[in-house]
Amino acid sequence: MSNVEISENNPVPVKASLKFIKFFKWFFLIGFLLVFFIWIQLPQIKINQYIQSEIKKAIAPYGIKFQAEDASLSLFFGVKYSMTNVELSFENRTQKIVLDEVMFYPSLLKSLFGYQAAKIKWIQDDEDSSVYFSVKNQSFSLELDLNNLNLRKLGVFSYLYNLQGDGSVSAEGDIYGNLTDFTQLNGDVYINLNKLSLKKQSVLGFSIPAVLVSTGRAQLVSTNGKLSVKDLGLGGEKDDLFAKVTGDLNFSKRVRSSKLNLEAKFKFSDKIKKSFVLLNSLLRNALQKDGFYAYSIKGTLGSPRPSPLKTKRK
């Protein structure tokens, strides 16, 4: 066997050394990153436990229980705390609310100026919605961006006498004012309802037919505590319920004492009238020439006084 000669004409050992050094650098870098991320994860576990413990404490007095399948904290490009498969359950209610993902973005910059501010974003059925809030002392601001929220999955119908129904709601708006004095409330909100439906069922001992309302909408504007109903309606001519509300509400410092000045008009499909044979007899004083029932609603928010509008039929 011949010996390998090390010379300028035989650079093989030098190349082998360079490859080994390069490999050692990569190995050291990978090892360092592994240790670094493990070091980061250890306090994150404790942070997650602390945050979820605080959430549970905050909502427990309202009879709400909370759990999440997974959670993570990110500090890159701002603080973000996210949770997946979030489940909320309520006392005296069998239905639970399940959200695919919930993300919490606290505003550290605003906290330097004494504000408690954050954006909460959640995903349900591939639709994302968010709420941004900012509070300092009693002053607050709120921004809404809600997209196709499933009312059934949110437990809205089960909360209302365990109704069996379906539908979705979208909303956007900006509201600001004082938490203890709604006479300072300003802002506007736009709401859209889509395909509201109730199955044929028994409610409080009464049998109700299937009800379908294709659309609903609301445009509410508040200026220095005067809430104007620019547009508030449900359904159309072909729906089981067709309703319109106009007017305003003047907030007082005691919310229940806020004064109402509203006018409501509504009518039912023939199917609904046949199911509730006494309906027309009970409401006949409010029946108008166009087939709508019309009421004026005065009084206060805590004690409204509806009265039939003067009949305009022959």
Side-chain angles (χ1 to χ4, degrees), residues 151-169:
L151 297 176
R152 174 177 53 81
K153 290 187 177 181
L154 287 176
V156 173
F157 293 104
S158 64
Y159 181 75
L160 300 171
Y161 303 106
N162 284 318
L163 291 174
Q164 298 179 52
D166 214 337
S168 63
V169 61

Side-chain angles (χ1 to χ4, degrees), residues 70-109:
D70 193 17
S72 62
L73 177 67
S74 172
L75 302 178
F76 299 104
F77 306 107
V79 179
K80 172 187 173 183
Y81 184 73
S82 61
M83 299 173 285
T84 59
N85 293 329
V86 177
E87 184 178 280
L88 300 172
S89 56
F90 304 83
E91 287 183 357
N92 304 320
R93 291 171 61 184
T94 56
Q95 183 174 346
K96 298 178 181 180
I97 296 176
V98 179
L99 302 173
D100 300 329
E101 185 176 6
V102 177
M103 291 146 281
F104 183 72
Y105 304 84
S107 177
L108 300 183
L109 180 61

Side-chain angles (χ1 to χ4, degrees), residues 61-75:
Y62 303 98
I64 305 174
K65 294 183 179 180
F66 153 88
Q67 66 179 23
E69 185 175 292
D70 193 17
S72 62
L73 177 67
S74 172
L75 302 178

Side-chain angles (χ1 to χ4, degrees), residues 140-295:
F140 80 96
S141 64
L142 186 68
E143 297 177 14
L144 302 174
D145 183 15
L146 311 179
N147 298 296
N148 293 320
L149 296 181
N150 188 306
L151 297 176
R152 174 177 53 81
K153 290 187 177 181
L154 287 176
V156 173
F157 293 104
S158 64
Y159 181 75
L160 300 171
Y161 303 106
N162 284 318
L163 291 174
Q164 298 179 52
D166 214 337
S168 63
V169 61
S170 298
E172 62 180 30
D174 296 284
I175 309 167
Y176 60 95
N178 189 293
L179 290 169
T180 60
D181 185 2
F182 276 23
T183 62
Q184 301 178 34
L185 186 67
N186 290 276
D188 51 58
V189 177
Y190 300 85
I191 302 172
N192 284 294
L193 299 170
N194 188 40
K195 294 183 179 178
L196 294 178
S197 63
L198 292 176
K199 296 181 179 180
K200 183 178 179 181
Q201 57 198 291
S202 178
V203 180
L204 298 176
F206 293 94
S207 178
I208 64 172
V211 178
L212 176 63
V213 178
S214 59
T215 60
R217 74 267 171 206
Q219 180 184 355
L220 309 175
V221 178
S222 182
T223 305
N224 296 325
K226 182 177 182 179
L227 181 66
S228 299
V229 181
K230 299 294 184 181
D231 182 23
L232 177 59
L234 280 174
E237 292 286 352
K238 296 182 179 181
D239 289 318
D240 291 319
L241 173 63
F242 186 12
K244 297 181 285 185
V245 178
T246 56
D248 54 64
L249 181 155
N250 281 281
F251 281 110
S252 68
K253 289 189 176 182
R254 295 181 66 249
V255 176
R256 287 178 57 85
S257 300
S258 303
K259 293 183 178 179
L260 297 171
N261 180 31
L262 302 171
E263 184 176 304
K265 297 180 66 178
F266 56 91
K267 68 178 180 178
F268 305 100
S269 66
D270 291 337
K271 179 180 70 176
I272 300 297
K273 290 178 182 179
K274 290 178 181 178
S275 298
F276 299 97
V277 292
L278 298 177
L279 195 60
N280 192 59
S281 298
L282 294 171
L283 303 175
R284 66 177 182 273
N285 290 336
L287 186 60
Q288 307 295 301
K289 184 179 179 180
D290 57 7
F292 280 86
Y293 301 98
Y295 282 86

